[in-house]
Amino acid sequence: MNTIGLLADIGNTTIKFGIADSGKIRCSFSFPTKAPYTADSLGLNLLQMLSLQQIEHIGFVSLCSVVPELGKTFYRACQKYLSLTPAVFPQDFQIPLNNLYANPQEVGADRLMGAYAARMLYPESKSIICIDYGTATTFDCVCDMDYLGGLICPGLFSAHNALAQGTAKLPHITLHFDRSAPLIGKNTVTSMNHGFVFGFAAMTDGLCQKLEEQLPKPLTILATGGYAEDLAKLSNKINKVHQDLILEGLRLASCALLA
C-alpha cells in the first residue's frame, strides 16, 4: 500500500487525525471533540489540514470512534468533501486479535485498536500492558494474539475537573510538576498538582505490578494519551510511549485491508 490515507481516532476529549502511507504516519493533528461540528465545518477543516501538508489526493479513510454522533458527522464530511467513504472499525474491518472479553461488544473500539497496535509494534514480547491516559485511564492486557481484558480507572483530567466542580473553594490547576518526587504541599495548588500527578504515577506503577504478576514474560508496558509522556517520566514501570498508538493501529489495519 503506497496510497496516502487519512486516519481518524475520535475520542471523548480529542479527535486525532493522521496522514499516513504504508511506511509510517507522516503527521498528526488534534481537534477538540466537544466543538459544535457540522459535516461542513469538519470537512472544511480537513481540507485546510490537507492543504497545509500539501496533500492533493487521499486514497482511503479509516475511522475508529467512540463518539457515535461525531463519527457520523465525520463520515458525512468525508463523503462530501473528500469523495471517500470511511472504513469504520469494527463494522467494516477486523483485526487479528482474539477478544476474550465475556461480552466482546462491551470493549471500546479504541481499546482494541490500541491493543492491536501495541501487539504489532512489539512482536517479541509475550505479553503487553497498554495504558491509555484519556478521558478514562485504561489498562489493556494482551498475551500472544489474545486480548485478555483490563482495567478502567478515572482519567487524570476527568478526575481533576470533577473535584474542581464539586468543591467550591478548590482552584483549577495546571497539573504541572518539576520534581521527581512529590512535595508536602504548603499551599492548595501545590497540594493538588502533586497529589494528582504523583498519585496517578503511583496508581500506574501499583496496578502494573499487580497485572504483571498475572502475565507471562517477556512483558512490555507502553503508554499513550495526552499525559503519557509526563507520567512515564515518573513511572518505574512504563517502558515505551507512543502518542499516536491508535492511529498506528489504524495504519497497520489499513495496510492489511488494502494489501
Side-chain angles (χ1 to χ4, degrees):
M1 183 197 77
N2 294 318
T3 306
I4 296 174
L6 175 65
L7 314 171
D9 166 26
I10 300 180
N12 289 297
T13 302
T14 303
I15 311 172
K16 206 162 193 181
F17 295 111
I19 297 171
D21 57 29
S22 60
K24 64 179 181 180
I25 297 171
R26 296 185 174 191
C27 57
S28 60
F29 306 85
S30 294
F31 295 165
T33 295
K34 297 193 181 299
Y37 296 109
T38 64
D40 291 323
S41 67
L42 194 52
L44 291 170
N45 277 329
L46 289 173
L47 290 179
Q48 183 179 36
M49 181 180 73
L50 295 173
S51 176
L52 287 171
Q53 293 300 313
Q54 299 181 328
I55 303 294
E56 296 181 357
H57 177 72
I58 289 292
F60 69 93
V61 181
S62 295
L63 168 65
C64 178
S65 174
V66 296
V67 187
E69 286 306 313
L70 187 53
K72 293 175 184 177
T73 300
F74 174 78
Y75 195 94
R76 293 193 300 270
C78 289
Q79 290 181 319
K80 182 173 181 179
Y81 287 91
L82 301 179
S83 299
L84 289 170
T85 297
V88 183
F89 175 74
Q91 295 95 310
D92 298 327
F93 61 96
Q94 301 297 311
I95 55 175
L97 279 186
N98 304 312
N99 186 349
L100 301 186
Y101 229 52
N103 182 354
Q105 304 303 318
E106 288 182 0
V107 185
D110 54 344
R111 294 178 66 190
L112 283 175
M113 188 57 71
Y116 164 69
R119 173 75 283 170
M120 296 297 102
L121 288 170
Y122 297 97
E124 71 282 0
S125 294
K126 177 76 172 177
S127 303
I128 292 170
I129 300 174
C130 178
I131 310 166
D132 189 344
Y133 296 102
T135 306
T137 301
T138 55
F139 296 74
D140 291 301
C141 300
V142 179
C143 182
D144 294 325
M145 294 303 292
D146 293 334
Y147 173 82
L148 304 178
L151 304 172
I152 302 175
C153 307
L156 196 151
F157 290 104
S158 301
H160 164 250
N161 290 336
L163 182 62
Q165 292 170 6
T167 50
K169 292 187 176 182
L170 290 181
H172 286 272
I173 54 175
T174 62
L175 300 176
H176 170 76
F177 68 96
D178 54 7
R179 296 171 57 88
S180 59
L183 283 172
I184 298 174
K186 303 298 185 183
N187 59 68
T188 303
V189 170
T190 300
S191 298
M192 290 181 68
N193 261 331
H194 285 233
F196 270 89
V197 172
F198 290 95
F200 268 77
M203 178 188 77
T204 295
D205 285 355
L207 290 177
C208 284
Q209 177 64 41
K210 296 298 184 183
L211 293 172
E212 188 176 355
E213 294 169 0
Q214 305 174 56
L215 296 168
K217 308 296 187 293
L219 168 72
T220 295
I221 300 175
L222 68 151
T224 189
Y227 223 60
E229 289 185 4
D230 292 312
L231 286 171
K233 296 173 184 176
L234 303 176
S235 169
N236 295 317
K237 291 294 186 180
I238 295 173
N239 307 126
K240 302 288 183 180
V241 175
H242 292 274
Q243 287 292 11
D244 294 332
L245 188 66
I246 295 174
L247 294 182
E248 182 64 18
L250 283 170
R251 184 189 72 81
L252 292 168
S254 298
C255 288
L257 185 67
L258 298 173

